[in-house]
Amino acid sequence: AQPEDVPKVGAGSSREIKFNFHYIFSSFVANPRLFFLAMPPSTYTRAAQVVCGVGAVAFGIYFGYENRHKTTLRAAWTTDFKPSVEWDWNWDRREPSSLVKPPKSEDMKETNEYNQKLESVKSKANRHLIFIRHGQYDMSPKNDEGRILTELGKEQAAFTGKRLQELSKELGGFDLVVHSTMTRAIETAKIISGFLPKVPLSSCELLREGAPIPPEPPIGHWRPEPSQFYEDGARIEAAFRKYFHRADADQAVDSYEVYVCHANVIRYFVCRALQFPPEAWLRISLNHGSITWLTIRPNGRVVLKALGESGHLPVDKLTTS
């Protein structure tokens, strides 16, 4: 039973509590133990809620103060955040605004002529570039002529040719097949061409294997002379500039082109096309007979649709060297 000399404190409104504050405080000072015993359970609940609320607010203020100098990450499209590296829309020097001289004045006639010229040079189709790494080859001979495909390499080329044949049916055909002039690439291209008999076959010296640029990080067991990077790098970059660009304005439909070449060349192309650091090329590994697919959009965007795809090869036929 509760003592009769200590009145029960009810969980009334804030107005009632404020009115009786002096009486409640006096009771608490006179006998704190009896004061708390006289409180109903609802008052304890309310007090606990208040204490927790005050504690949460205090923690929030403290946490915010301690982290006031830290960067808050937000979605780029919701803020004015700028990427560390912005996309170069004129990477192939075929951005329409770079091909047409701007009007000398704001005259309506000149402006209309300028806009018409812009439309006339705009790309309208996609270019699909499909790169094939040659099959496995005999690495023991010192000269290129002796570095021919192994039996496994020929099988790999045949599997890739069959896969391209299937793709050709889905895509409506390939426009051309271009191969490096090195022996292993020539042999691989000939095998693939047997599955694509109606597709024109040609060669290109620029696609030969080489050392495109000193890799980062470097690899101890592979250190070409600086002169090799200087010579090969210029040639492989010339190949990139020759084959990587958006479609000409007069190309009305999408094109599909196959290039049979080498791992270093393909990896460098991928980095350059996606505007990644080109010295990162050696961080990528490609299987023999693998397929790498890059698409160049009319507006200059580049999409990597496949990198070293090898699903068409049986597991026991996969090799990298």
Side-chain angles (χ1 to χ4, degrees):
Q2 295 184 3
E4 295 181 357
D5 59 336
V6 179
K8 185 182 291 185
V9 179
S13 66
S14 60
R15 186 175 181 181
E16 291 173 341
I17 293 175
K18 181 179 180 181
F19 180 77
N20 294 314
F21 175 76
H22 180 71
Y23 177 77
I24 294 169
F25 182 73
S26 300
S27 300
F28 171 74
V29 172
N31 196 332
R33 183 172 175 275
L34 291 179
F35 174 79
F36 283 111
L37 287 174
M39 284 186 178
S42 59
T43 303
Y44 290 120
T45 302
R46 178 61 178 167
Q49 292 174 344
V50 172
V51 171
C52 291
V54 172
V57 171
F59 177 77
I61 294 173
Y62 171 78
F63 184 80
Y65 178 79
E66 288 296 315
N67 294 274
R68 65 192 185 281
H69 298 306
K70 294 183 179 180
T71 303
T72 301
L73 296 180
R74 298 185 179 89
W77 55 87
T78 63
T79 68
D80 58 355
F81 171 79
K82 290 187 177 181
S84 57
V85 179
E86 294 186 356
W87 182 261
D88 177 12
W89 290 99
N90 197 29
W91 60 272
D92 59 349
R93 300 302 181 264
R94 297 198 181 197
E95 183 68 17
S97 59
S98 70
L99 300 175
V100 180
K101 291 183 179 180
K104 295 180 180 179
S105 67
E106 297 182 358
D107 178 71
M108 183 65 70
K109 182 180 179 181
E110 285 191 25
T111 302
N112 289 337
E113 290 178 354
Y114 172 73
N115 290 333
Q116 289 175 3
K117 289 180 180 178
L118 280 180
E119 288 299 320
S120 67
V121 298
K122 280 185 178 179
S123 179
K124 304 173 184 64
N126 295 302
R127 292 187 65 230
H128 299 271
L129 311 182
I130 299 172
F131 292 90
I132 310 298
R133 188 189 179 191
H134 56 76
Q136 186 192 59
Y137 65 102
D138 183 0
M139 299 178 64
S140 57
K142 293 185 177 180
N143 60 343
D144 176 63
E145 291 74 15
R147 294 188 166 188
I148 60 176
L149 294 182
T150 62
E151 289 304 312
L152 175 57
K154 293 176 183 178
E155 289 184 71
Q156 292 167 337
F159 278 116
T160 303
K162 185 177 180 180
R163 175 57 180 150
L164 291 176
Q165 185 182 58
E166 294 170 350
L167 279 175
S168 179
K169 294 176 182 178
E170 296 177 13
L171 303 174
F174 291 107
D175 296 275
L176 53 85
V177 175
V178 181
H179 60 80
S180 155
T181 55
M182 298 188 83
T183 303
R184 54 190 181 271
I186 295 172
E187 291 183 326
T188 302
K190 286 182 178 179
I191 294 172
I192 290 175
S193 185
F195 292 88
L196 306 170
K198 296 182 180 180
V199 182
L201 180 66
S202 62
S203 64
C204 179
E205 287 275 352
L206 298 177
L207 294 173
R208 293 174 69 89
E209 184 64 303
I213 188 174
E216 180 60 40
I219 296 214
H221 63 271
W222 188 76
R223 291 184 177 276
E225 293 296 326
S227 58
Q228 186 177 350
F229 283 117
Y230 183 77
E231 295 175 10
D232 293 349
R235 172 178 54 77
I236 297 171
E237 174 63 20
F240 174 81
R241 298 188 185 194
K242 177 178 180 178
Y243 295 114
F244 280 81
H245 56 79
R246 66 196 81 184
D248 293 335
D250 57 359
Q251 180 177 323
V253 297
D254 292 0
S255 59
Y256 297 88
E257 306 163 16
V258 177
Y259 297 88
V260 182
C261 50
H262 310 271
N264 293 1
V265 175
I266 297 170
R267 292 182 286 186
Y268 177 79
F269 284 172
V270 168
C271 291
R272 284 283 285 111
L274 298 180
Q275 298 187 20
F276 293 162
E279 59 270 19
W281 64 271
L282 200 49
R283 303 173 198 173
I284 303 169
S285 179
L286 299 176
N287 289 323
H288 291 118
S290 62
I291 299 173
T292 297
W293 185 337
L294 289 145
T295 299
I296 304 173
R297 304 294 189 199
N299 63 357
R301 284 179 63 96
V302 179
V303 179
L304 179 64
K305 301 192 71 173
L307 177 63
E309 181 183 321
S310 307
H312 56 283
L313 295 168
V315 175
D316 61 345
K317 306 295 183 184
L318 294 174
T319 58
T320 55
S321 61

